[in-house]
Amino acid sequence: MIKIIAVGKIKEKGLNLMIQEYVKRLQAFSKLEIIEVNDEATTASSSAMEAQIKEKEGERILSKIKDQEYVILLDLWGKMYDSITFSKHIEQLQTYGHSNLTFVIAGSLGPGENVYQRVNERWKLSDLTFTHQMTRVLILEQIYRAYMIRNHSPYHK
């Protein structure tokens, strides 16, 4: 099972259409669930207020994670993978005891310490900066690509 937990909602119709397309494609390979949790207003003017916002959003994220889930946080300081290595990594996780993979996209201020304490690994998608909404599309595409690589599909080429 693949679960994506994301702070905030997707507002752009084009991104929603792409998300729906990858959800449809992934259903052939894995059960998929996307959970949106509410974001906090980010009018914080101090680092203490920002920390409070991140902790509140983190509590919402953590409430959606079960103990047995392997949690991968999308993080600026995470490990980067090329697509083939990512595919092998996901296959190894799912083969050797982590059938429930949960990907977390934190809010615009980043994850709280409470989220960092729970995750099993951190994944840096790119050196580029993307919107949180675009990140959701990109990770769905990379998960789909991982399954296509595993199945020797020409999609990856």
Side-chain angles (χ1 to χ4, degrees):
M1 160 122 179
I2 303 284
K3 183 191 296 184
I4 297 172
I5 302 172
V7 174
K9 299 201 179 301
I10 301 288
K11 297 174 181 115
E12 294 85 2
K13 288 181 183 179
L15 291 178
N16 269 320
L17 288 172
M18 289 195 297
I19 289 167
Q20 290 171 13
E21 177 63 26
Y22 284 110
V23 166
K24 186 173 97 178
R25 291 179 185 194
L26 279 165
Q27 289 173 348
F29 303 102
S30 177
K31 185 175 176 189
L32 177 69
E33 181 179 13
I34 298 176
I35 299 172
E36 295 176 335
V37 298
N38 291 332
D39 55 351
E40 290 287 312
T42 55
T43 57
S45 58
S46 71
S47 58
M49 289 177 74
E50 284 186 7
Q52 278 185 318
I53 289 169
K54 293 191 290 189
E55 291 297 308
K56 283 182 184 178
E57 290 176 346
E59 288 170 10
R60 292 182 187 132
I61 291 167
L62 294 171
S63 74
K64 305 298 181 187
I65 298 172
K66 296 182 174 93
D67 289 341
Q68 70 274 17
E69 294 174 16
Y70 188 91
V71 180
I72 301 170
L73 173 66
L74 278 286
D75 187 58
L76 295 172
W77 297 275
K79 181 177 180 177
M80 289 183 73
Y81 295 97
D82 61 47
S83 295
I84 293 171
T85 305
F86 179 69
S87 176
K88 289 177 184 175
H89 180 58
I90 295 302
E91 181 176 22
Q92 287 178 338
L93 287 172
Q94 291 183 317
T95 301
Y96 299 106
H98 299 291
S99 58
N100 296 318
L101 300 180
T102 298
F103 295 84
V104 173
I105 305 169
S108 62
L109 296 176
E113 277 304 311
N114 53 356
V115 174
Y116 277 119
Q117 291 173 9
R118 170 57 182 92
V119 301
N120 298 94
E121 74 175 85
R122 299 180 303 171
W123 175 29
K124 181 177 183 175
L125 191 58
S126 172
D127 283 331
L128 300 170
T129 302
F130 302 109
T131 65
H132 287 70
Q133 293 84 3
M134 184 65 75
T135 299
R136 199 176 314 179
V137 174
L138 292 171
I139 65 171
L140 282 166
E141 193 281 335
Q142 285 301 301
I143 294 166
Y144 177 70
R145 181 176 296 274
Y147 282 108
M148 292 290 90
I149 290 168
R150 283 166 60 175
N151 287 293
H152 309 289
S153 168
Y155 173 86
H156 174 62
K157 304 287 184 214

